[in-house]
Amino acid sequence: MMTAELFDADAGVQALVPGALLLRGFALAHEDVVVAALSLVVADAPLRHMTTPGGFRMSVAMTNCGVLGWVSDTSGYRYDSRDPDSGQPWPAMPAAFTELATSAAARAGFDGFVPDACLVNRYDPGARLTLHQDRNERDFDAPIVSLSLGLPALFLFGGTRRAERPLRLPLRHGDVVVWGGPARLRYHGVAAVRAGHHPRIGAHRINLTFRKAG
Ligand code: MD6
Ligand code: FE
């Protein structure tokens, strides 16, 4: 078991397009501390299905930690310093999250990345995320660091125009994608997650995206 994890952690870096890298198994060495921190975050700010600006219930359940959290409702998408369900500030960013995000970004060539927002996405079987750009952050100089946990999923990775046919990239438990520079505004999404069981996470996929939003 340990050998396999070390092997995966060393499997290294796959360049996707300029500015985007896949770090296979990057988080496996810190899996326990990351999963424990995540449990505390979702106990404090439960995952919930937000509403799109068009009035639809999102199939992905979301919550946040950090100074800012991404929210969606009928008035639009934005970052907010409070959880709209509780009126309280979002849970603090766990140190283990900051360390993971900063070290993954540095590994991808983005030194000095300190996230102030972490969006937590939970995909139950059938949940998906349609192609979108991440453009609610204040500036696009900082990369986004994305950690996949639990069930595998196909990450759809398009161009800077929605019509461009996306690459289909399988992401597994522990993989990290770092995304910035010339790739920062590429369209991307997640194909419907297939039912399954992950020994550590259970019957869903969790994705954490770390951003510098403010
Ligand atoms: C997900 N991720 O993988 C959704 N955005 O569940 C994203 O929307 C995303 O992974 C920007 C950069 C990386 C991402
Ligand atoms: Fe995104």
Side-chain angles (χ1 to χ4, degrees):
M1 189 57 162
M2 199 58 201
T3 313
E5 289 181 1
L6 288 172
F7 178 82
D8 283 347
D10 288 342
V13 183
Q14 184 184 335
L16 301 175
V17 298
L21 285 97
L22 168 56
L23 309 173
R24 280 281 181 216
F26 187 85
L28 290 177
H30 308 286
E31 179 180 7
D32 291 346
V33 59
V34 168
V35 171
L38 177 63
S39 304
L40 295 177
V41 166
V42 301
D44 203 8
L47 289 151
R48 83 292 303 262
H49 295 273
M50 296 184 189
T51 302
T52 67
F56 294 100
R57 176 187 191 264
M58 298 184 76
S59 64
V60 180
M62 299 182 173
T63 189
N64 294 276
C65 60
V67 172
L68 291 171
W70 187 89
V71 295
S72 177
D73 60 23
T74 50
S75 65
Y77 307 126
R78 65 190 171 279
Y79 282 95
D80 202 307
S81 60
R82 288 179 184 268
D83 178 342
D85 283 8
S86 68
Q88 297 300 305
W90 296 104
M93 182 87 71
F97 283 14
T98 306
E99 284 161 21
L100 178 85
T102 298
S103 62
R107 183 71 188 76
F110 298 97
D111 286 323
F113 175 64
V114 181
D116 59 10
C118 171
L119 171 62
V120 180
N121 291 334
R122 188 194 69 210
Y123 296 75
D124 297 324
R128 58 194 281 268
L129 198 60
T130 54
L131 284 183
H132 65 278
Q133 290 174 300
D134 289 20
R135 49 185 324 146
N136 295 114
E137 298 73 28
R138 186 182 297 275
D139 77 69
F140 302 138
D141 291 343
I144 295 174
V145 174
S146 168
L147 166 63
S148 294
L149 296 171
L151 294 179
L154 267 187
F155 191 55
L156 309 174
F157 188 65
T160 50
R161 293 171 305 120
R162 191 190 293 276
E164 242 174 273
R165 178 194 290 272
L167 300 172
R168 297 164 71 82
L169 188 70
L171 295 182
R172 298 185 288 261
H173 180 76
D175 289 350
V176 172
V177 178
V178 182
W179 180 290
R184 180 63 181 71
L185 290 176
R186 282 185 178 254
Y187 280 88
H188 56 280
V190 178
V193 170
R194 296 176 59 160
H197 178 82
H198 185 274
R200 190 65 203 259
I201 302 294
H204 39 253
R205 170 177 185 257
I206 304 272
N207 175 262
L208 309 183
T209 47
F210 301 97
R211 299 119 186 277
K212 189 176 156 356

